Amino acid sequence: MSRRRKRPVASSPVGTRERLIRAARKLLEDGGYAAASVQSIADRTGVAAGALYRHFPSKAHLFVEVFRDAAKRDLAAMTDAASSGGCAERLEAAVATFARRALRNRRLAWALVYEPVDPLVDAERLVYRREYCRHMAALLRDGIAAGEIPDQNAELSAAAVVGAIAESLVGPLSPVAGQIASDEDIIATLVRFCRRSVGAAEGARLRVAQPARPVRARSRGNPFGSARS
């Protein structure tokens, strides 16, 4: 009896969509937006170029998903790192974790946060930044209530801290800037500045030398470990 040939199993729509997102992310890691053309993404995924448009209205929509996925991972990592301790310690942990993750994958961080992009992707950046500021403000309000930091406008201070972090990492993450300091020196300096900028008292040795703990996904709550909703 002849054996019946098995027909190849076609990739499911969900599987193809996820593979397109992973391929786009990998190309951003390797060479930024210039390297992530539709054809390059399709070639890496193993599909025809037109397949991308069956899952995303445009290349920009695909990169919005890449950004959302990366932002979600970053917030989850900061949630885990800043889940315990006083306000100043949680602030240190959140800032250090964000900076360390960016420095660990410089090219991707540069593409996602700084590189010129389609307005659709830029709008998603603003959504993430507002979310980051919102949770940073919640952390600061907890510190004010606990008497760990002076009374201040938490929203404005949070925006200033987030802006300082973004501006401080421009040089270290730039593909053309070169190494300007060690990663741990950059992280320690940034953490120290953010702590002092909100008026947190100087405490024990800064908690920035140890890598962030494994991420535990959470469905709700303050990504920076706040007890408030």
Side-chain angles (χ1 to χ4, degrees):
M1 295 178 63
S2 61
R3 294 182 180 179
R4 181 179 298 176
R5 291 184 178 179
K6 294 183 179 180
R7 294 182 179 179
V9 179
S11 299
S12 67
V14 175
T16 301
R17 191 176 193 277
E18 292 174 346
R19 288 189 295 120
L20 286 166
I21 293 173
R22 287 197 300 266
R25 177 188 172 98
K26 179 59 178 173
L27 287 165
L28 288 181
E29 292 176 357
D30 293 343
Y33 283 98
S37 66
V38 170
Q39 189 61 58
S40 297
I41 295 169
D43 289 344
R44 183 176 286 271
T45 308
V47 298
L52 185 149
Y53 299 105
R54 291 199 292 272
H55 300 276
F56 302 95
S58 68
K59 176 183 173 182
H61 283 84
L62 168 58
F63 285 129
V64 164
E65 291 301 319
V66 174
F67 183 90
R68 285 176 179 168
D69 180 67
K72 187 185 300 184
R73 292 169 185 266
D74 284 342
L75 284 173
M78 287 184 284
T79 298
D80 187 76
S83 60
S84 62
C87 172
E89 291 177 312
R90 284 164 36 217
L91 174 65
E92 291 175 4
V95 174
T97 300
F98 178 86
R100 181 174 288 110
R101 287 174 64 85
L103 292 168
R104 187 179 299 154
N105 199 335
R106 282 173 159 81
R107 195 63 188 82
L108 177 64
W110 178 264
L112 292 176
V113 182
Y114 302 105
E115 194 169 353
V117 292
D118 185 277
L120 195 67
V121 181
D122 207 34
E124 193 65 27
R125 287 174 173 172
L126 293 177
V127 171
Y128 170 66
R129 187 154 178 164
R130 284 195 295 266
E131 187 73 1
Y132 192 4
C133 286
R134 185 171 71 85
H135 292 296
M136 182 68 74
L139 190 157
L140 296 182
R141 285 195 294 271
D142 284 351
I144 293 168
E148 293 186 45
I149 61 175
D151 189 22
Q152 57 195 280
N153 186 315
E155 282 69 28
L156 285 177
S157 293
V161 168
V162 172
I165 294 170
E167 186 65 25
S168 298
L169 291 176
V170 170
L173 295 179
S174 172
V176 298
Q179 187 74 11
I180 61 176
S182 71
D183 287 2
E184 290 307 319
D185 185 43
I186 293 169
I187 295 168
T189 301
L190 185 55
V191 167
R192 190 178 298 110
F193 171 83
C194 290
R195 180 170 183 156
R196 290 173 176 172
S197 70
V198 300
E202 293 292 340
R205 179 175 59 86
L206 297 179
R207 301 192 310 159
V208 298
Q210 298 299 320
R213 291 172 291 166
V215 175
R216 295 191 299 271
R218 299 180 183 182
S219 58
R220 61 179 64 183
N222 183 348
F224 293 163
S226 170
R228 299 188 173 200
S229 58

